[in-house]
Structure formats: C-alpha cells, structure tokens
Amino acid sequence: MSSAADTKPAREEEPPARRKFTFPSALTILVVVTLGVWVLAFLVPPGVYDRNEDGAPVQGTYHRVDSDQGFVDRLNDLFLSPVNGLYGVQDAKTGVVGPDLAGELYGSAGVFLFVLAIGAFITVVFATGALDRGIGRLAHRLRDRGALLIAGVMLVFSLLGTVEGFAEETLGFYGLIIPLMLALGYDRMVATGTIILGAGIGVLCSTVNPFATGVASSAADISLGDGIVLRAIMWVVLTAVTIAYVIRYANRVRRNPERSLSGFLPGDREHNAADAEEPPELTRLHQVVLVLVALVFAFMIFSVVPWAGALTGDADATPYGFELGWSFPQLAALFLVAAVLVGVVARFGEQKLSSTIIQGAADFISPALVIVLARGVTVIMNNSQITDTVLHSIEGVVSGTSSALFAVFVFLVNLPLAFLIPSTSGHATLAMPILAPLADFAGVSRAVVVTAWQAASGWMNLWVPTTAVTIGGVALAKIGYDKYLRFVWPLLAVLAVLICGFVALGAVWT
C-alpha cells in the first residue's frame, strides 16, 4: 500500500540562486591596478627629460631612451612591488628603486608602522572602557547637534589640510570618529566622509601648504603668496559645499537608516546612544585616559606642522626652534609609547598589555598592506621610465589655447597624471617645471597653473585607489570602496565644475 507521500507530485527543483556580485576588496583592486600599470609600461615608450641641478626636468629636452630593463627585470619589479612599496630604496644616481640599493627610502615603511602603532594605541584605549563611556556621554550631549559636530571636525581638518597638507595623519582618527558618529545615529560613511573629505578639500584648496603649494610654487619659480587670494576664496566656498554635502547625507541616514550607502555592521546600531538615558559618570581613570588621548593627538598635530612656513607663508622659512618636524617613523614610536603608557595607567599588567597591543596591530594589518601596495604601483612606473613620457604628451596638448581654456585644460590633463603619481610633492616636482613655462605662452599667470594643478591632484586624491588616504581610510572604516564611490561621485562632479569656474576666472582676471 502506498503512502500519502508517494501520491504527492514530485517537487520541482529550484534553479540555483545566482551568486551576487561582490565588489573586490581594496587589496584586490590594488593588485589589478598594479598588473594594469605593469602591462602599460610595455606599451608606453620609455623617455626622460634632462634635469637641472635641482633635479627638475628641463622643457624641450625630452628624448626617448632605450630601456635597459629586460623582461626578467620587469617581472622582478612586479614580483617585488609590494616589497619596494614597503622599504624600497631609490638610488641617487640611476633613480631606480629596489630593496637592496643605497639611497633614500622610497617605500612606505614609516606609514605602515604608523598604522600598526595607531591600531595598538586605539585598541588599548578601548580596552580601558574610557573611550566608550566618553563617546556615550558626548553623544548624549550632542544628540541634537550632530550637524555641528560634523561641521566642526571637517572645518578643523580642512584648515589643517590647506595650511600644512594634513592628509595621511587623519588615518589615526578613525578609531575615534567612527564610534562617535555611530553613537549619534549616523553610519560609517558619515565618519569616512567627515575625515577623508574634510582633510581632502583642504589639501585640494591648499593656500600655504608647503608640500603642495610650496613645492609647486618653487618649481614654477614664483612665491608662495602668488595666487593666495584665489586659493583662499576657493577654500571657503568648496569647504562650505563639502560640509553641506556630508551633513545632508548624514541627516538622511539619521532619519531613515535604510538609506545608508554603507549599511551597518553587527553591533553598529548598538552604539546609538543619542536617545538613551545619560550614561554613567566618567571615573577618575576614564578621565585620565581621555586626557592622555587628547594630549597624544594634539601633540601629533603639533609635531608635524611646519609652523614657520605656515605662519610666514614662506615655504623656505627657517624653522622655529620649537618645531619638531616629525614624520611617520617618529609618530609610530609616539603611539607605541602612548599605548604602553595608557596600559600602565589602567593597570593592565604585562600579559594583558602585551596581548592587547599585539591584537590591535593585527586588526590594522589590512589597511597597512593596502598602503604598501599603493606605493608599489609608483615604483613600477619609476623603474620602467614611463613617467616622463606621460608628462611629455601634455606639452603639445595645452599649447595655443585661450587663457580660460588653458587653465581648465591644465586641471583636466593633470587628472590622469595625479592618478599615476599620487605623491603630491612628486607630482609637483615633475609636472610644474613643464606646465609653468607653458603658461607664459598662453598669457596666464603661473599662480593659476599652480592652483589648477593642485586642484587636480587634490580632486583625484579624494577617490583614487592608489592614495593611502582614501583606500586606507575605507579599509579602516570597514566599508566597501564601491560604496564610497557611490557616496562621493555627486560631490566630485559639483567640485569639478566649481574648480573649472574658479581657475577659468582666475586666468582671465590675472
């Protein structure tokens, strides 16, 4: 006798669900970019400019060269690109970068260790519970003034960016800003935009930034103060537009979390303390730890600012006696010492402190590796000698145009160049000696060329995956790079239009 189950019609097999496309990680993106640039180096002919005694290319001296790199050498460059990106050394005579050469460090070992040290410090601070409770209390007090907080942070970052190129240093602030924004009912994208766009728009509109405006003005043979009025007006307008854009998105997410572009990770919504009861008072230990955190970050900012150049407007001004001139190696040491100090104050004990520092560094290894890979891309271009060839192609493109069109064109042609050369100072040193003399033939002030160049460099560095600030930032924030692009592209379009308008007017009026 058959059972009831035997009489049921056979269940149709459901078609297998399609695998949903997942955008590759930052590491994968940079691997693809590395391979693409390596292949491009076979197609672009190598060439060089003659250099003057300062190492700048001389206009009209570009000439093709026969590359002494064989296939095995190029393959070796590709193979060693991550290593060179970490601790490659540039030979002073040949300019070639390699891990076993003698010369100046070209790799990003300092930034790499800085990120790991930041991870250790932030993890130790969170382990004390001080930051959690402090953020909770701050969120409660600012539960109705989140927009003011966003504007304040972005304005400070933008001011530091326009004055002294504050960019990579922002990598140390993600551990503080992300939990704060989550506690205010925002998402990780708000924190990311606040940091990347806040500092980035300042660098884009650099006024006296010695690493952008200073280097470019010197290469263009003009003073740092030339064009400062135009750049200052640009800074005010573009900073206001960028802050308004981030606040508009933040308010939208706070009203309707489902409209978040980044989404929420497990536990993110638990940070929301904006509508909760007032958290407990801070203990004496919490207060001491928070004061230490504030002092460490304040000292970090103080130690990297070139105060003489920033306050006098002279990029070559003699540093004041109190200037430290610290860079990433010193900052890495600072945060490692600070991590130990906080652990000692919190009475962690040797075992807990050691394990917490190790865990913190491990949590930040991904963004640290992203930074290394991004630097490795530039090593491949340098060793294959294609950078000058790219620069030479610009010479025939921007000649013979009207003043306004010339200024806009300088901005446009520098966009792909900024992608290939993410280093602001390196881009300026190579490009400005060529672009600045072209301005004379177009009847345009060289200061306008400097402004257009730095705007292109700054605009690209707001989103390109070859810059440590952007790709490292989205990795630290744990949001997808594709999601960040969706968030930022409307703002990029608005900024591009405004920049073109400013540089065109500047070219006509000067």
Side-chain angles (χ1 to χ4, degrees), residues 336-378:
L336 285 175
V337 171
V340 174
L341 179 60
V342 171
V344 170
V345 169
R347 299 178 182 178
F348 274 2
E350 186 272 333
Q351 290 291 332
K352 182 178 180 180
L353 178 57
S354 298
S355 61
T356 306
I357 289 176
I358 293 172
Q359 182 60 51
D363 290 342
F364 278 61
I365 192 66
S366 177
L369 288 176
V370 164
I371 293 168
V372 169
L373 286 180
R375 186 61 171 169
V377 174
T378 65

Side-chain angles (χ1 to χ4, degrees), residues 483-502:
K483 296 177 181 178
Y484 174 74
L485 290 182
R486 286 180 58 197
F487 163 73
V488 79
W489 79 260
L491 175 64
L492 291 174
V494 173
L495 292 178
V497 172
L498 291 174
I499 291 168
C500 289
F502 272 112

Side-chain angles (χ1 to χ4, degrees), residues 203-204 206 209-220 231 234 391 394 406-415 417-418 421-433 435-436 446-461 499 503:
V203 175
L204 187 156
S206 293
N209 172 13
F211 306 109
T213 313
V215 174
S217 297
S218 177
R231 294 193 294 268
M234 280 184 61
L391 289 171
I394 301 174
F406 172 81
V408 173
F409 217 46
V410 171
F411 169 73
L412 295 178
V413 299
N414 270 287
L415 295 178
L417 194 58
I421 312 174
S423 168
T424 303
S425 56
H427 183 183
T429 302
L430 290 171
M432 290 310 301
L435 295 177
R446 291 189 174 196
V448 175
V449 174
V450 170
T451 302
W453 161 80
Q454 70 181 30
S457 177
W459 188 87
M460 290 293 288
N461 284 334
I499 291 168
V503 296

Side-chain angles (χ1 to χ4, degrees), residues 2 10 13 17 23 43 49 63 90 92 171 176 193 210 237 240 245 247 260 349 411 424 434 444 454 457 476:
S2 63
E13 293 187 4
F23 199 84
L43 305 176
Y49 283 93
H63 56 279
Q90 187 170 37
L171 295 173
L176 296 175
V237 175
Y245 182 83
I247 290 177
S260 168
F411 169 73
T424 303
I434 299 172
V444 175
Q454 70 181 30
S457 177
L476 287 169

Side-chain angles (χ1 to χ4, degrees), residues 118-275:
I118 281 288
F121 174 70
I122 292 298
T123 303
V124 170
V125 170
F126 270 109
T128 66
L131 206 52
D132 288 325
R133 187 171 296 185
I135 290 171
R137 291 189 62 81
L138 183 61
H140 182 79
R141 290 189 176 186
L142 297 177
R143 61 190 182 278
D144 297 323
R145 292 178 290 172
L148 181 61
L149 176 66
I150 294 171
V153 172
M154 292 186 69
L155 183 60
V156 170
F157 280 179
S158 180
L159 181 61
L160 291 171
T162 190
V163 171
E164 60 96 8
F166 194 76
E168 286 89 350
E169 295 86 351
T170 60
L171 295 173
F173 288 89
Y174 281 85
L176 296 175
I177 300 299
I178 290 176
L180 179 58
M181 294 304 176
L182 292 175
L184 289 168
Y186 303 129
D187 62 1
R188 291 173 178 265
M189 192 67 76
V190 173
T192 305
T194 298
I195 297 173
I196 294 179
L197 299 179
I201 200 65
V203 175
L204 187 156
C205 302
S206 293
T207 50
V208 293
N209 172 13
F211 306 109
T213 313
V215 174
S217 297
S218 177
D221 198 25
I222 61 175
S223 71
L224 183 59
D226 289 343
I228 193 172
V229 174
L230 174 64
R231 294 193 294 268
I233 296 174
M234 280 184 61
W235 177 73
V236 172
V237 175
L238 269 61
T239 298
V241 170
T242 304
I243 291 175
Y245 182 83
V246 175
I247 290 177
R248 178 175 177 271
Y249 171 81
N251 290 337
R252 186 180 71 188
V253 170
R254 194 175 189 183
R255 289 192 302 267
N256 186 2
E258 293 181 358
R259 300 188 68 183
S260 168
L261 294 177
S262 63
F264 296 90
L265 297 178
D268 279 358
R269 305 305 301 278
E270 298 174 5
H271 284 280
N272 194 341
D275 299 321

Side-chain angles (χ1 to χ4, degrees), residues 33 65 78 88 96 98 109 154 215 219 246 255 263 271 294 321 381 396-397 403 407 411:
V33 171
V65 296
L78 176 63
V96 175
M154 292 186 69
V215 174
V246 175
R255 289 192 302 267
H271 284 280
M381 288 193 59
V397 175
S403 298
F411 169 73

